[in-house]
Amino acid sequence: MIESVDADCCCEIRILDTAGSRVRCSVAPRLPSAYSAAIEAMSLDRESRSVDAYANPKAEMIADDIVRDRRWLNAKCRKLLSKQHLTSVWQVPIFTRSGAFLGTLFVYRNGPAKPLARHRDIVSRAVHIASIAVARARSEEELAARQRRLNEAHEHLSQAQRLTRTGSFRTDVIADVHIQSDELYRILECRPPTLRAFREHVHPDDVGAFDAAFKRAMADRTGFDVIFRFITPAGNIRHVHAVAHFQSGNADRPIVMGSIQDITQSVQTEDELAVLRTELAHLARSMSLGELAASIAHEVNQPLAGIVNNANACMRMLSSEPPNLEGAIRTAQRSIRDGHRASEVIRRLRTLFQKREFVTEPLDLNDAVSEVIAICSHDLQRRRISIEFDRYAELPFVTGDRVQLQQVILNLILNAADASASASASASASAENRSKLISVSSRLTKDGEAQISVKDRGTGILADEPKRIFEAFYTTKSDGMGIGLSVSKSIIDRHGGRIWFEPNADAGATFTIALAAGGGA
Ligand code: ADP
């Protein structure tokens, strides 16, 4: 605009960037592009030190001869300007309406600057327009940056929702208008348009709980926290955990904000664990039957003794002169009765023990250990015993009976826990914490054996003859049965594996089982 009114001048506008650290040559229509590039390369810092003109860029300044004017002596752009035969400069600062410094307008000329009144008028208009244009560009930039940050935040949120399988929603209860996140759509496989439509998908067995939670929430306006099953249009059942609260300050128009987490996976895992727990409990019961076996054997002894006595009496009666046939028949009948009684006792005993077949399958020992830890973790927590599992990730499969092997691992962990508990009962506070850690680890040996070790910092083996701990009914505990290790050994023997223990250098013992990787039982 200025250049078109005054054909002899060259104009330049330098703008301070938003960080306030660099000047940019934003417009210089009559100067060659190399000039603008050279200015771009100079930072305000460097230039302000060498150019007085820039030392106070916020003031207007006129230099009639930039070659001689000492304020321009060190200005790098002085040479650039001389090359263009520009000898004077008139510098006018540009401010925003609120007074913030934006940059500078330079009017260069070949010959003295000497601004005339009409020049002043047009320059002041140009500066005004420039200030509006820059301010506007800045606010647009800021808006765009804000939008970018918003998009980023939105992207983070969706990622977090995907990772945690949690969708979110916002519901205008009166208007029955719902905003649902993409993840919520992925979980529900639909976007129920109304509350009624949503409710129709709730599992019939859970509708009662769902309604009650919703009704309570509407009555006291606190929110709800409810777990229910949602049936997707394709018929998939999702176990979901919904948590919501009312936005405050909207008494007439309740707005509910909430999240729905898909907990199907953990519910399924929990169910599987429960099945496993019952199986293990069953096996544990059959172990205590070992003790019962002793008393049952005693029961069998009685009819056996009866049979022998009756047989003796029978023989006597038959060999007397004349033979007492009637008495012999009665005693023989008593023998038969006792025989039946004995075999009945044995049959009962057998059914008690035969509750499960020996089923072998390829299995991942790491998973088997993790499941056992999950099963007993509650018990250990209660006893303030911590457990860690250092799993060797590349452990190959072994072949065996999963439940029986888990029973062995469970025995070792529970024994370790017992040893830890009795060691800590007699230890100082710091030793107590140390002793209450069980370290389980898995490894693969060079010989291709998969090993699981259970290390404790407990009492260590107290037995006089350590080998005896694998014998049935050997125990050093007041409430022990001495069955755990003997059963464990027979299970491991049956799998063609090995079980042994070693004392630890510091405290406690480490029990290890070793099974052939891949093959075995
Ligand atoms: P119980 O646990 O009923 O005594 P077990 O056969 O499992 O039966 O164990 C036999 C004995 O072996 C225990 O009484 C205990 O003396 C010893 N024992 C087993 N595991 C450990 C261990 N981790 N630390 C110290 N002693 C142990």
Side-chain angles (χ1 to χ4, degrees), residues 415 419 456 459-461 469 474-477 480-485 511:
N415 272 346
D456 63 60
T459 49
I461 306 298
I469 62 171
Y474 177 83
T475 179
T476 57
K477 299 170 195 170
M481 293 193 311
I483 296 288
L485 283 181
F511 280 76

Side-chain angles (χ1 to χ4, degrees), residues 250-312:
N250 283 315
D252 313 334
R253 186 146 196 167
I255 303 285
V256 180
M257 306 280 290
S259 68
I260 290 188
Q261 187 178 23
D262 180 2
I263 53 167
T264 312
Q265 186 74 42
S266 61
V267 169
Q268 274 165 0
T269 314
E270 194 50 48
D271 285 352
E272 281 163 18
L273 271 182
V275 170
L276 209 76
R277 222 174 263 144
T278 2
E279 276 191 344
L280 283 175
H282 193 47
L283 214 83
R285 240 190 344 262
S286 79
M287 270 170 50
S288 60
L289 290 177
E291 199 188 34
L292 258 182
S295 65
I296 291 174
H298 177 71
E299 260 186 70
V300 178
N301 271 339
Q302 275 185 333
L304 273 181
I307 289 168
V308 172
N309 286 342
N310 285 327
N312 279 335

Side-chain angles (χ1 to χ4, degrees), residues 344-362:
E344 171 62 14
V345 169
I346 287 167
R347 194 190 60 75
R348 268 198 343 248
L349 185 66
R350 205 183 262 151
T351 50
L352 284 170
F353 276 107
Q354 259 182 0
K355 86 230 141 343
R356 206 174 167 275
E357 307 249 304
F358 182 66
V359 199
T360 59
E361 56 178 335

Side-chain angles (χ1 to χ4, degrees), residues 287 411-420 422 454-463 466 468-488 501 508-511:
M287 270 170 50
N411 282 340
L412 297 184
I413 292 177
L414 293 181
N415 272 346
D418 288 344
S420 308
S422 45
V454 179
K455 173 181 179 181
D456 63 60
R457 280 96 179 152
T459 49
I461 306 298
L462 299 173
R468 290 198 60 202
I469 62 171
F470 288 106
E471 284 172 15
F473 306 117
Y474 177 83
T475 179
T476 57
K477 299 170 195 170
S478 57
D479 58 348
M481 293 193 311
I483 296 288
L485 283 181
S486 78
V487 167
S488 298
F501 72 88
T510 300
F511 280 76

Side-chain angles (χ1 to χ4, degrees), residues 202-218:
V202 177
H203 193 287
D205 293 350
D206 297 344
V207 152
F210 177 81
D211 285 349
F214 194 76
K215 210 168 144 195
R216 215 176 316 118
M218 286 305 286

